[in-house]
Amino acid sequence: MQKDLLRIYDLSRADMDSIFERTADLKKKKKNGTAYEPLKGKTLGMIFEKASTRTRVSFEVGMFQLGGHAIYLRWTDMQLGRGESIADTARVLSRYLDGIMIRTFAQSNLDELARYADIPVINGLTDMCHPCQILADLFTVIEKRGSYEGLKAVYIGDGNNIAHSWISAALRLNFDLTLACPKGHEPDTAIFERARKEAASKILLVQNPVEAARGADVIITDTWVSMGQEKEYRERIKAFQGYQVNEKLLDGATKDVLVMHCLPAHRGEEITDGVMDGPHSVVFDEAENRLHVQKAILELLMSKKQDVLRPEC
Ligand code: CP
Ligand code: NVA
């Protein structure tokens, strides 16, 4: 694996399989009550420019369980909020910490931090992607179905950070992915076209959610209004009418379809209560698996002295 985890596209299939393997082992150890502390004496800094429940708590608990320590750093409480450069922040934090997890708006902030930090940097969500979430989702699929091989995954809704990471996962792991997005809310063209050209599997973009959901093994959705888009709320709710994951939409899917949502959910908007709380939903398993997958990532990136690779320097 490279020094950092910045996007799914940077991972090979072998990288992802080793994350899933370590996740299974770490989850088993936790369930059996076996103490395992490979990160004793190590500290993770967690920088947040946006809100979070799952990411913050699962990373902090994960570090604690691995014998290490985590520090919560709010962007606006740091000198970053007063204009200190990301590069200087990276240089300074590398002198104190053993790893950084960051949730920020621009992917370029993350890339810059990783470029100037001598320690591993992990993407805890940007406007462009959310790799830790999609790794947890895929681990959940493996737990429930044995494998991601031969899957038809369907993403319904906004072509956002979650959609982008699913697109890169389909490209790397060779499963079929259909996205149904309303006009004007499609995924980033460069990310989609690159995947469509490079993938051995089928990666399709359609407008009709009912057509997309036909024969789906996994249906994924996400909020229609991501963090930072609050001012567009009314216009977005209107644009996404017809894209709700509801009981009717599941009629066309396979009979044991898995329904996934990274959470937080907006019940009654992108997903109904009936589906969220129904037999197909694995949303809380996904949320739990954030903890186990991220422990595997932390262990892989932080437990040994990394040879510092800076691919873009
Ligand atoms: N899914 C996810 O990243 O949740 P939070 O925004 O609560 O961290
Ligand atoms: N697309 C959502 C995901 C939240 C975990 C957002 O960026 O707000």
Side-chain angles (χ1 to χ4, degrees):
M1 256 174 86
Q2 296 184 357
K3 172 175 94 59
D4 310 299
L5 175 51
L6 306 183
R7 45 178 81 70
I8 295 276
Y9 187 79
D10 295 342
L11 299 174
S12 64
R13 182 180 174 135
D15 288 336
M16 284 193 255
D17 284 340
S18 67
I19 291 172
F20 300 142
E21 230 171 80
R22 289 305 304 139
T23 302
D25 181 52
L26 292 170
K27 185 167 180 177
K28 201 155 114 202
K29 280 190 169 64
K30 181 67 195 137
K31 301 280 171 197
N32 293 341
T34 312
Y36 178 66
E37 302 191 330
L39 299 187
K40 215 169 181 152
K42 306 250 172 171
T43 307
L44 178 77
M46 309 189 299
I47 304 175
F48 282 90
E49 199 184 8
K50 304 185 186 190
S52 170
T53 297
R54 281 145 287 270
T55 304
R56 179 189 172 176
V57 176
S58 56
F59 267 103
E60 189 162 341
V61 169
M63 277 304 289
F64 174 74
Q65 290 180 1
L66 292 171
H69 176 64
I71 306 176
Y72 175 68
L73 300 162
R74 217 159 69 113
W75 182 289
T76 47
D77 290 342
M78 298 175 74
Q79 297 289 8
L80 272 173
R82 297 181 57 252
E84 185 169 16
S85 76
I86 290 174
D88 286 348
T89 304
R91 290 179 179 115
V92 171
L93 293 182
S94 295
R95 305 284 179 114
Y96 305 136
L97 301 169
D98 302 287
I100 303 172
M101 188 278 297
I102 178 166
R103 169 167 287 194
T104 183
F105 286 93
Q107 184 78 18
S108 56
N109 290 343
L110 171 83
D111 289 341
E112 194 179 344
L113 189 79
R115 186 165 186 192
Y116 290 98
D118 294 328
I119 53 177
V121 172
I122 301 169
N123 183 347
L125 180 147
T126 63
D127 286 350
M128 205 45 100
C129 55
H130 198 2
C132 294
Q133 179 67 55
I134 276 53
L135 290 167
D137 295 354
L138 288 163
F139 182 77
T140 309
V141 170
I142 294 168
E143 280 190 318
K144 304 286 175 193
R145 293 288 174 270
S147 171
Y148 47 72
E149 302 271 358
L151 276 187
K152 179 183 174 184
V154 173
Y155 179 91
I156 309 274
D158 190 18
N160 62 13
N161 42 12
I162 298 293
H164 295 154
S165 290
W166 271 97
I167 290 169
S168 296
L171 160 63
R172 289 281 176 257
L173 302 179
N174 283 334
F175 58 83
D176 290 346
L177 174 69
T178 302
L179 300 110
C181 309
K183 203 166 163 27
H185 297 280
E186 296 92 349
D188 178 82
T189 310
I191 291 176
F192 180 76
E193 285 305 322
R194 177 182 65 187
R196 213 180 46 78
K197 282 191 194 120
E198 292 178 17
S201 56
K202 273 192 282 179
I203 302 182
L204 304 172
L205 176 62
V206 299
Q207 270 184 23
N208 185 333
V210 178
E211 180 196 319
R214 216 164 282 141
D217 300 300
V218 180
I219 292 182
I220 308 126
T221 191
D222 185 23
T223 182
W224 294 338
V225 187
S226 284
M227 289 179 276
Q229 298 175 331
E230 290 77 8
K231 284 200 182 110
E232 300 166 33
Y233 180 82
R234 276 165 178 244
E235 172 208 294
R236 285 181 160 267
I237 295 298
K238 221 164 117 192
F240 285 97
Q241 290 311 305
Y243 287 81
Q244 185 183 64
V245 173
N246 54 33
E247 290 80 344
K248 198 151 174 271
L249 193 83
L250 297 198
D251 283 348
T254 55
K255 67 175 185 346
D256 54 359
V257 61
L258 301 177
V259 174
M260 310 195 97
H261 191 310
C262 64
L263 307 178
H266 300 78
R267 291 166 176 257
E269 292 179 10
E270 74 275 6
I271 192 163
T272 57
D273 278 331
V275 172
M276 269 282 286
D277 302 326
H280 297 287
S281 169
V282 292
V283 301
F284 298 109
D285 296 316
E286 283 178 82
E288 178 187 333
N289 283 333
R290 289 291 302 278
L291 169 67
H292 306 297
V293 159
Q294 288 161 193
K295 281 172 70 181
I297 294 165
L298 291 166
E299 183 201 38
L300 283 164
L301 295 182
M302 286 172 65
S303 67
K304 55 180 189 303
K305 184 106 187 79
Q306 291 282 322
D307 292 323
V308 178
L309 301 171
R310 288 187 183 156
E312 286 158 11
C313 288

